[in-house]
C-alpha cells in the first residue's frame, strides 16, 4: 500500500536554481547591487524566498532592522530577446544601475533563459567594468543549468575573493566563517563562535554574506577560515572548495573537516580544531563542557521519551540527507527505533546507496515503503524527511541542513521531547528547524 | 536609454511568474490537472504558491524536471515520462501543459508530444514562463488558452437572472470567503451564479456558462479580457465593476448590476434591508467604542494590492470604514482597468515606482497599512513603527485565516470594520 506524502518528488535532476544562490551571497553586502540577467519573474521568485527568510528570523527574534539590502534588478529579458539576444538589454541595464545606485560593485546572475540564448554575459561585464571603473562580476552558471543554488553561492563568493581581496598581514586568533547558515545573528554562527571561544579565537569576518567591502578586504588577514555547510551536501562541497581557494591564494589554513553535527561530529570537529591549532588541552576541555551541557538536556529528554517507539522514514537521497546524526540523536533521546522505511520516491540507485550507509550505522530493519506500513502504523513517532498526509501520526520533519553544535542538538531534542508529549490523538508535524 | 523604469528594484514589488498565474487558473478548476514542463525549482515555487490557497492541488500538479540535455535535445523524454505517469494515476477532464521560460525557447512540439502520449482528455498547451510576464499575464493567457481548447455549449438557452463571475482566483487573499459572500449577495438580490471559471467551477459547469444572461467581471486585471473574448465569441454581455467593499460600496455594486440586469421579485429590497440592519449594528457598536477610544484616525494610509482590490478597498476605507489623512494606493499589477476614484490622493505603479513606494513606507508612521506581508517586511526592515497593519493581499506570511469571513460584501464590511477597530484599540494599548 502506497503512503501519501507531501512534495514527494524523485530528484532525478537539478532541484534548485543558481540565481537565488548568487543573491544570497551578496544580498546584504553594503554597496552591492545584484542584477539578474533574466525575466523579471525570476527576481520576484527570489524576493518571495527572501521574504520567507525575513519572517523566519522575525519569528525567532533574530531579525536586525536597518540592515543593508542590495537592490535586486532584473534585466527583464522578454520574448524578443530570444531572437536578437539580450546583451544590449543587459548593457543598458548595467548603465542604469551604475547611474542610479552608484554601487561599489555589481554581481550579475544569469538565468536559464540567458544560458539558452547564449548571451556572453562575461564580455558585457568586462566592458561595463572598463566603462564604469568598478568591479562588475558574473558567475559561470545559468539558472538551473550548470549548477544549482550552492554553485551560484560559491561562484559569487569566489568572484568576490578573486576581485576584491589582496594579501594582508595576519591578525592572530581571527577567524572568517565561510557560508551563510542564517547569517551572523543566526543560531549556527552563534554556536560556532561559542566553540571557537574555547581556543581563544574570535570571528572577525563572515563571508561572503553580510560583509561590507571593508570586511571582505579583511578576510585575507584571518588566521583561520571555517567553512559552514552541512554533511555531504552541495553546501558542504562548495564551502570546502571556497576555503581551498582562499588557502591557495592567501595561504590561510582552514578546518577541513566534517561539520559539528551530532555528538560524534561535534567532538571530532573540536578535537580536529584543537589538533590543528596545537591546543589539544583546550579541545578536551571544550568536549567536557559541551558534553555536560548536552547531558543536562538528554536527562530531561529521556524522561519524556521513555517507551516511545519511532520509525525513520527517508525520501531524500544521501546527498541531501545523512542518517548518522539522526540515529545518534534518537539513541541519545532513549527512543526505541523500530525500523527504517525507504520511500518510493528514491530511485533504485539512491535506495542502494542509502541502504549501504544505514547498514554501517545500525542493525535496525530497513524496509521498502510497502513493507513498512505496519511498522509505521505501530510507531508513536515518525522521524521523516517527507510529511505524510495522514496527520494522525506524530511526525518529526528532518531539516536538510541539521543545526550545528550542541545548541543544535538541544534544539532538536527539545522538539522531539515536545512531540512525544503531544497527545497521540493530536498527531501533526513538528518541523526540525 | 529606453524606459529606465523597467529596471526597478524588485525588492519593493509584489508579483510572481506567469507559470504560477497560469497554474492558478487551472488549479481553480477542480477536475483539471497541470504539468509544469520546466525545472523542479520553478515547478515547486508555483506549486507552493498555489497550494497555500488551494489545498490538495499537489495531487494534480506535476513537474517534468528537464536537465541540461533537455535544453539541447528537447523535453520529449521527460514530458512523455510524466504524461504516462499521469495517465496511469489520474483521470482529469482537462490537462494543462505549460512550458517554463527556458523550455519555451527550445521550440518543442508540446501538442505533438501530448498526442503521442495519447492522453484520453483534452490537453491545453502553452508557453507560460517569465518571458511572457508575471502572475496576471499567466492567468489571462491560461484562461484564453482554456477556452480555445474547451468550447462552450451553444448559447441556445439563456436562463433569466443568471450570471457568471469572471476574474476570480483562488490565489487572491481570502478569495474563497469573498467568493462565497458574492454568491450570497447575488442570490439575496435574486440572481443565480452559474459558473466561476478559475475559481471553483468544474469543466462541465464552465461548458454550460453560456446559459447565463451576464458575465460579471470581479477582478478586471484577471477577467476583463476573457469577458471581452466571451462576448465576441458567444455573445455573452459583460459588466466590469470594481469589486464590492463596504456596505455602501456593495449596495452600489448590486444596484449597478440591477440596472444592467433587473432582478426578479424583491431582490434589491431584501438586500437593502440587510444593509440597513448591518449599518445600524455597526453604528451602535462603533459609537459605543468611540466614547472610550475616540475616533480612529490615521495621518497617512497606504493600500497595496492588485488594482481591482486596491482601488475598491481604498474607496471603502475612506468613505466608510475609518478616517485618514492622505491616502496612497499601490497597484501591485502596475495599472488599473478602472478610473482612479476621487478619494485617492496618489496612485503608485507597483511594478515601476519602487523608490516612491519605499519613500511612502518610510514616512508612513503614524499610519495605516493595508497590504501584504511584503510591505510590512519593508516597514520592519526600515524599523518603522507606529503603523497599524492589516493583510489584504498575497503574499502573506504572518497571519492565518481559518474562519469563513470575507473582506468583500456586507459581511466583509463588518469584518473589516471589526479588524480595523480592534487593531486601533490594540495599538492604543500596546503601541503599534
Amino acid at each position: 500500500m502506497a503512503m501519501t506524502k507531501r512534495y514527494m518528488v524523485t530528484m532525478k535532476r537539478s532541484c534548485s536554481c543558481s540565481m537565488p544562490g548568487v543573491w544570497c551571497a551578496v544580498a546584504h553586502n553594503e554597496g552591492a547591487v545584484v542584477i539578474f540577467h533574466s525575466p523579471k519573474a525570476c527576481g520576484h521568485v527570489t524576493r518571495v524566498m527572501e521574504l520567507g527568510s525575513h519572517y523566519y528570523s522575525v519569528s525567532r527574534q533574530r531579525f536586525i532592522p536597518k540592515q543593508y539590502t542590495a537592490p535586486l534588478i532584473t534585466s527583464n529579458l522578454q520574448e524578443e530577446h530570444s531572437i536578437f539576444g539580450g546583451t544590449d538589454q543587459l548593457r543598458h541595464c548595467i548603465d542604469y544601475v551604475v547611474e542610479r545606485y552608484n554601487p561599489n560593485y555589481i554581481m550579475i546572475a544569469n538565468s536559464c533563459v540567458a544560458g539558452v540564448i547564449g548571451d556572453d554575459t562575461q564580455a558585457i561585464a568586462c566592458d561595463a567594468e572598463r566603462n564604469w571603473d568598478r568591479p562588475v562580476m558574473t558567475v559561470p552558471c545559468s539558472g538551473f543549468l550548470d549548477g544549482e543554488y550552492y554553485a551560484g553561492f560559491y561562484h559569487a563568493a569566489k568572484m568576490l575573493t578573486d576581485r576584491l581581496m589582496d594579501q594582508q598581514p595576519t591578525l592572530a586568533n581571527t577567524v572568517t566563517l565561510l557560508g551563510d547558515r542564517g547569517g551572523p545573528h543566526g543560531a549556527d554562527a552563534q554556536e560556532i563562535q561559542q566553540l571557537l571561544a574555547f581556543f581563544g579565537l574570535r570571528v572577525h569576518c563572515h563571508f561572503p554574506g553580510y560583509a561590507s567591502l571593508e570586511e571582505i578586504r579583511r578576510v585575507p588577514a584571518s588566521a583561520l577560515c571555517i567553512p559552514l555547510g552541512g554533511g555531504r551536501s552541495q553546501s558542504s562541497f562548495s564551502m570546502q572548495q571556497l576555503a581551498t581557494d582562499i588557502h591557495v591564494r592567501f595561504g590561510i589554513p582552514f578546518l577541513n573537516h566534517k561539520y559539528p553535527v551530532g555528538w560524534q561530529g561535534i567532538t571530532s570537529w573540536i578535537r580536529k580544531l584543537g589538533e590543528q591549532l596545537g591546543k589539544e588541552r583546550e579541545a578536551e576541555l571544550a568536549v567536557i563542557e559541551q558534553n555536560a551541557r548536552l547531558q543536562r538536556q538528554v536527562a530531561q529528554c529521556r524522561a519524556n521519551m521513555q517507551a516511545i517507539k519511532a520509525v525513520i522514514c527517508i525520501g531524500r537521497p544521501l546527498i541531501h540527507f545523512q542518517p548518522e546524526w539522526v540515529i545518534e540523536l534518537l539513541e541519545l533521546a532513549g527512543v526505541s527505533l523500530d525500523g527504517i522505511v525507504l520511500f518510493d520516491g528514491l530511485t533504485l540507485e539512491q535506495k542502494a546507496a542509502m541502504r549501504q550507509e544505514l547498514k554501517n550505522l545500525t542493525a535496525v530493519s530497513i524496509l521498502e515503503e510497502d513493507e513498512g506500513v505496519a511498522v509505521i502504523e505501530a510507531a508513536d513517532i515518525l522521524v521523516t524527511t517527507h510529511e505524510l498526509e495522514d496527520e494522525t501520526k506524530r511526525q518529526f520533519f528532518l531539516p536538510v541542513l541539521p543545526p550545528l553544535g550542541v545548541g543544535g542538538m538541544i534544539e532538536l531534542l527539545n522538539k522531539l521531547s515536545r512531540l512525544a508529549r503531544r497527545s497521540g490523538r493530536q498527531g501533526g508535524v513538528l518541523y526540525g528547524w | 536609454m529606453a524606459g529606465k523604469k523597467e529596471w526597478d528594484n524588485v525588492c519593493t514589488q509584489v508579483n510572481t511568474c506567469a507559470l504560477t498565474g497560469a497554474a492558478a487558473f487551472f488549479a481553480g478548476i477542480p477536475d483539471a490537472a497541470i504539468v509544469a514542463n520546466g525545472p523542479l525549482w520553478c515547478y515547486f515555487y508555483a506549486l507552493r504558491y498555489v497550494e497555500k490557497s488551494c489545498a490538495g492541488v499537489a495531487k494534480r500538479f506535476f513537474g517534468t524536471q528537464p536537465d541540461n540535455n533537455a535544453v539541447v535535445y528537447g523535453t520529449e523524454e521527460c514530458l512523455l515520462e510524466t504524461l504516462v505517469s499521469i495517465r496511469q494515476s489520474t483521470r482529469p477532464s482537462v490537462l494543462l501543459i505549460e512550458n517554463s521560460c527556458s523550455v519555451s525557447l527550445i521550440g518543442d512540439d508540446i501538442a505533438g508530444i501530448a498526442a503521442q502520449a495519447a492522453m484520453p482528455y483534452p490537453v491545453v498547451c502553452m508557453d507560460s514562463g517569465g518571458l511572457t510576464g508575471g502572475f496576471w499575464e499567466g492567468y489571462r493567457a491560461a484562461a484564453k488558452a482554456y477556452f480555445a481548447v474547451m468550447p462552450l455549449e451553444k448559447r441556445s438557452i439563456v436562463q433569466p437572472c443568471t450570471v457568471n463571475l469572471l476574474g476570480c482566483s483562488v490565489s487572491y487573499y481570502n478569495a474563497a470567503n469573498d467568493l462565497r459572500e458574492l454568491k450570497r449577495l447575488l442570490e439575496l438580490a435574486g440572481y443565480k451564479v452559474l459558473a466561476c471559471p478559475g475559481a471553483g467551477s468544474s469543466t462541465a459547469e464552465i461548458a454550460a456558462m453560456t446559459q447565463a444572461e451576464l458575465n460579471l467581471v470581479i477582478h478586471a486585471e484577471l477577467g476583463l479580457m476573457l469577458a471581452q473574448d466571451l462576448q465576441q465569441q458567444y455573445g455573452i454581455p459583460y459588466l466590469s465593476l470594481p469589486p464590492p467593499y463596504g456596505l455602501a460600496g456593495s449596495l452600489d455594486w448590486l444596484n449597478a448590476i440591477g440596472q444592467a440586469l433587473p432582478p426578479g421579485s424583491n431582490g434589491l429590497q431584501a438586500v437593502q434591508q440587510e444593509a440597513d440592519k448591518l449599518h445600524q449594528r455597526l453604528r451602535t457598536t462603533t459609537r459605543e467604542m468611540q466614547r472610550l477610544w475616540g475616533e480612529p484616525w490615521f495621518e497617512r494610509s497606504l493600500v497595496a494590492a492588485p488594482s481591482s482590490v486596491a482601488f475598491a478597498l481604498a474607496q471603502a476605507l475612506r468613505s466608510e470604514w475609518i478616517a485618514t489623512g492622505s491616502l496612497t494606493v499601490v497597484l501591485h499589477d502596475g495599472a488599473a482597468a478602472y478610473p482612479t476614484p476621487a478619494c485617492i490622493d496618489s496612485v503608485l505603479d507597483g511594478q515601476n515606482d519602487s523608490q516612491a513606494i519605499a519613500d511612502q513606507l518610510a514616512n508612513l508612521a503614524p499610519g495605516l497599512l493595508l497590504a501584504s506581508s511584503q510591505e510590512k517586511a519593508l516597514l520592519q526592515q526600515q524599523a518603522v513603527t507606529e503603523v497599524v497593519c492589516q493583510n489584504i493581499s498575497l503574499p502573506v506570511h504572518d497571519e492565518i485565516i481559518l474562519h469563513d469571513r470575507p473582506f468583500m460584501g456586507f459581511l466583509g464590511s463588518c469584518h473589516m470594520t471589526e479588524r480595523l477597530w480592534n487593531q486601533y484599540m490594540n495599538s492604543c494599548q500596546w503601541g503599534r
Side-chain angles (χ1 to χ4, degrees):
Chain A
M1 186 182 79
M3 284 167 277
T4 317
K5 281 88 58 182
R6 296 184 73 197
Y7 315 125
M8 185 77 225
V9 170
T10 301
M11 291 178 181
K12 293 172 283 193
R13 303 165 186 113
S14 72
C15 62
S16 62
C17 174
S18 60
M19 285 202 295
V22 174
W23 165 250
C24 283
V26 296
H28 300 288
N29 289 7
E30 207 176 321
V33 171
V34 177
I35 295 177
F36 279 8
H37 187 33
S38 73
K40 202 168 189 175
C42 300
H44 290 133
V45 171
T46 299
R47 174 60 192 165
V48 171
M49 196 181 93
E50 165 97 354
L51 200 59
S53 303
H54 168 84
Y55 282 101
Y56 180 89
S57 61
V58 167
S59 69
R60 284 151 181 81
Q61 288 81 47
R62 290 187 202 132
F63 170 68
I64 310 288
K66 298 255 178 195
Q67 281 190 124
Y68 177 82
T69 299
L72 174 57
I73 313 294
T74 58
S75 63
N76 294 346
L77 287 174
Q78 292 170 5
E79 279 175 337
E80 70 206 57
H81 300 117
S82 65
I83 301 161
F84 302 109
T87 50
D88 281 347
Q89 180 79 356
L90 177 61
R91 195 175 289 118
H92 292 318
C93 179
I94 295 171
D95 292 346
Y96 170 75
V97 162
V98 176
E99 286 172 0
R100 168 72 183 79
Y101 296 102
N102 189 24
N104 289 337
Y105 57 90
I106 294 172
M107 185 66 74
I108 303 170
N110 301 296
S111 61
C112 47
V113 172
V116 173
I117 297 172
D119 282 349
D120 188 352
T121 310
Q122 180 64 50
I124 301 295
C126 287
D127 285 350
E129 182 159 326
R130 269 196 301 275
N131 290 343
W132 292 106
D133 194 25
R134 71 197 71 203
V136 179
M137 298 165 270
T138 185
V139 297
C141 310
S142 301
F144 76 104
L145 308 169
D146 321 315
E148 302 187 31
Y149 176 93
Y150 287 106
F153 191 87
Y154 161 73
H155 283 293
K158 173 81 164 58
M159 203 49 75
L160 295 178
T161 308
D162 292 347
R163 302 298 312 284
L164 304 180
M165 292 181 194
D166 291 308
Q167 193 78 47
Q168 303 283 335
T170 302
L171 294 169
N173 300 321
T174 56
V175 169
T176 290
L177 297 183
L178 302 176
D180 187 339
R181 305 282 313 217
H185 305 287
D188 287 343
Q190 303 296 321
E191 193 65 23
I192 292 291
Q193 290 189 44
Q194 198 183 115
L195 292 177
L196 295 178
F198 285 103
F199 301 95
L201 297 172
R202 73 180 170 85
V203 174
H204 81 143
C205 291
H206 291 261
F207 181 74
Y210 299 88
S212 64
L213 204 50
E214 186 195 342
E215 285 166 315
I216 291 172
R217 288 177 175 147
R218 213 160 55 208
V219 171
S222 308
L224 180 70
C225 282
I226 296 196
L228 300 180
R232 270 168 285 189
S233 64
Q234 294 174 47
S235 76
S236 166
F237 292 135
S238 63
M239 288 306 98
Q240 295 284 349
Q241 184 57 51
L242 181 63
T244 307
D245 296 340
I246 291 174
H247 171 68
V248 168
R249 173 111 189 267
F250 302 109
I252 302 171
F254 66 98
L255 188 62
N256 187 6
H257 196 67
K258 280 199 298 184
Y259 296 96
V261 170
W263 180 240
Q264 292 304 321
I266 293 165
T267 49
S268 156
W269 188 91
I270 292 172
R271 287 184 175 126
K272 174 74 182 176
L273 182 59
E275 185 190 315
Q276 189 163 330
L277 297 170
K279 293 185 175 181
E280 285 86 353
R281 264 193 57 228
E282 285 86 344
E284 289 314 311
L285 189 68
V287 168
I288 290 165
E289 283 203 19
Q290 292 300 306
N291 189 33
R293 184 181 169 210
L294 178 63
Q295 290 310 323
R296 280 194 295 275
Q297 196 61 39
V298 166
Q300 275 182 27
C301 186
R302 277 183 170 265
N304 294 323
M305 303 294 285
Q306 270 176 359
I308 291 284
K309 291 185 288 183
V311 168
I312 300 176
C313 302
I314 302 173
R316 284 184 211 137
L318 210 46
I319 192 159
H320 296 296
F321 173 69
Q322 292 78 53
E324 186 176 0
W325 65 270
V326 180
I327 291 169
E328 186 200 57
L329 191 79
L330 294 178
E331 274 173 19
L332 271 173
V335 169
S336 158
L337 181 57
D338 285 6
I340 298 173
V341 176
L342 302 182
F343 282 149
D344 287 344
L346 293 168
T347 63
L348 291 175
E349 293 77 18
Q350 289 165 348
K351 278 184 184 174
M354 185 61 78
R355 271 181 185 278
Q356 188 58 47
E357 178 79 6
L358 289 166
K359 276 180 187 163
N360 294 334
L361 298 170
T362 178
V364 170
S365 313
I366 305 163
L367 307 163
E368 291 294 317
E369 186 173 315
D370 56 350
E371 301 165 338
V373 176
V375 74
I376 284 178
E377 189 59 39
D380 299 307
I381 284 180
L382 304 182
V383 178
T384 181
T385 61
H386 288 75
E387 298 168 47
L388 295 191
E389 288 282 7
D390 175 8
E391 289 197 0
T392 57
K393 247 346 179 207
R394 283 174 285 179
Q395 299 172 46
F396 183 72
F397 191 100
L398 292 162
V400 176
L401 295 179
L404 302 182
V406 166
M409 291 183 77
I410 289 174
E411 193 189 337
L412 293 173
L413 284 168
N414 276 336
K415 286 188 170 179
L416 264 176
S417 180
R418 270 183 244 150
L419 187 66
R421 288 155 77 185
R422 190 184 278 187
S423 155
R425 286 172 64 187
Q426 192 182 345
V429 182
L430 203 150
Y431 296 95
W433 53 78
Chain B
M1 196 180 308
K4 286 181 177 179
K5 274 190 162 185
E6 72 177 298
W7 294 305
D8 226 27
N9 183 0
V10 299
C11 290
T12 59
Q13 299 172 7
V14 173
N15 201 343
T16 171
C17 175
L19 195 81
T20 310
F25 178 81
F26 276 79
I29 302 171
D31 51 339
I34 306 155
V35 173
N37 190 25
L40 192 61
W41 169 258
C42 300
Y43 157 69
F44 257 128
Y45 174 81
L47 169 64
R48 297 280 288 129
Y49 190 96
V50 173
E51 193 185 39
K52 280 176 187 159
S53 43
C54 190
V57 75
K59 289 176 186 144
R60 52 190 179 93
F61 191 174
F62 310 92
T64 58
Q65 296 190 56
D67 60 5
N68 293 23
N69 290 331
V71 170
V72 179
Y73 299 110
T75 58
E76 183 173 351
E77 187 187 333
C78 56
L79 180 56
L80 269 176
E81 192 185 323
T82 307
L83 293 179
V84 167
S85 159
I86 292 172
R87 205 177 50 201
Q88 287 166 354
S89 62
T90 63
R91 185 78 192 177
S93 302
V94 61
L95 175 70
L96 167 71
I97 303 176
E98 52 170 344
N99 283 334
S100 74
C101 41
S102 55
V103 169
S104 70
L105 297 178
I106 306 168
D108 276 347
D109 175 14
I110 300 299
I113 297 170
Q116 197 182 327
M119 304 306 279
Y121 30 76
V123 179
V124 178
C125 300
M126 62 185 289
D127 289 338
S128 188
L131 283 170
T132 60
F135 179 89
W136 295 280
E137 287 84 2
Y139 180 100
R140 290 195 294 262
K144 195 178 177 69
Y146 173 89
F147 284 96
V149 172
M150 303 286 283
L152 306 184
E153 291 168 7
K154 270 183 72 180
R155 194 168 156 81
S156 47
I157 307 164
V158 175
Q159 295 183 45
C161 292
T162 54
V163 295
N164 302 309
L165 304 184
L166 304 189
C168 295
S169 172
V170 290
S171 288
Y172 270 25
Y173 192 48
N174 206 24
N177 292 334
D178 281 341
L179 192 55
R180 199 177 305 112
E181 171 68 353
L182 294 185
K183 287 179 179 172
R184 188 190 73 83
L185 279 183
L186 287 165
E187 276 167 27
L188 188 64
Y191 302 106
K192 187 180 175 195
V193 177
L194 294 188
C196 312
S201 292
S202 66
T203 49
E205 287 166 328
I206 296 171
M209 67 187 279
T210 40
Q211 293 178 20
E213 274 201 279
L214 183 70
N215 278 337
L216 268 179
V217 180
I218 304 302
H219 298 293
E221 66 276 11
L222 296 176
L224 181 58
M225 198 193 282
L226 176 61
Q228 290 163 343
D229 286 350
L230 292 174
Q231 184 179 44
Q232 195 177 16
Q233 207 173 339
Y234 295 97
I236 313 172
Y238 73 88
L239 184 62
S240 180
L241 300 165
Y245 290 98
L247 286 179
S250 301
L251 272 177
D252 289 347
W253 183 74
L254 286 164
N255 283 324
I257 296 167
Q259 281 178 11
L261 184 67
S265 66
N266 299 322
L268 289 178
Q269 203 180 330
V271 163
Q272 184 69 54
Q273 278 171 2
E274 183 177 318
D276 291 344
K277 209 168 116 188
L278 288 172
H279 182 64
Q280 184 60 32
R281 190 170 146 204
L282 276 174
R283 273 173 58 140
T284 310
T285 310
T286 53
R287 275 193 182 173
E288 184 59 32
M289 282 296 150
Q290 232 171 309
R291 289 168 194 268
L292 289 173
W293 297 94
E295 185 200 18
W297 164 259
F298 298 97
E299 201 59 44
R300 285 171 281 276
S301 293
L302 189 142
V303 177
S307 53
S308 59
V309 176
F311 270 176
L313 199 140
Q315 195 160 13
L317 178 75
R318 179 155 237 166
S319 59
E320 299 188 45
W321 293 338
I322 51 108
T324 182
S326 69
L327 175 57
T328 300
V329 164
V330 177
L331 308 176
H332 281 169
D333 48 327
Y338 317 102
T340 304
C343 65
I344 295 170
D345 298 310
S346 60
V347 179
L348 296 174
D349 174 347
Q351 294 299 305
N352 290 301
D353 289 333
S354 67
Q355 190 55 53
I357 294 167
D359 292 345
Q360 284 280 344
L361 288 167
N363 296 307
L364 192 57
L368 172 67
L369 177 69
L370 299 182
S372 71
S373 295
Q374 154 82 337
E375 286 83 9
K376 193 192 283 185
L378 292 170
L379 283 183
Q380 290 165 339
Q381 282 159 7
Q382 292 306 312
V384 178
T385 53
E386 289 192 58
V387 174
V388 167
C389 300
Q390 171 68 58
N391 291 317
I392 57 162
S393 62
L394 291 176
V396 169
H397 293 287
D398 59 338
E399 178 180 45
I400 55 170
I401 290 185
L402 292 173
H403 57 68
D404 55 4
R405 292 188 295 170
F407 295 160
M408 286 183 190
F410 292 166
L411 298 181
S413 188
C414 295
H415 179 206
M416 288 302 287
T417 306
E418 176 189 302
R419 279 185 164 217
L420 290 167
W421 260 93
N422 288 340
Q423 291 254 42
Y424 164 69
M425 291 185 288
N426 263 329
S427 70
C428 293
Q429 294 175 83
W430 308 109
R432 289 164 183 173

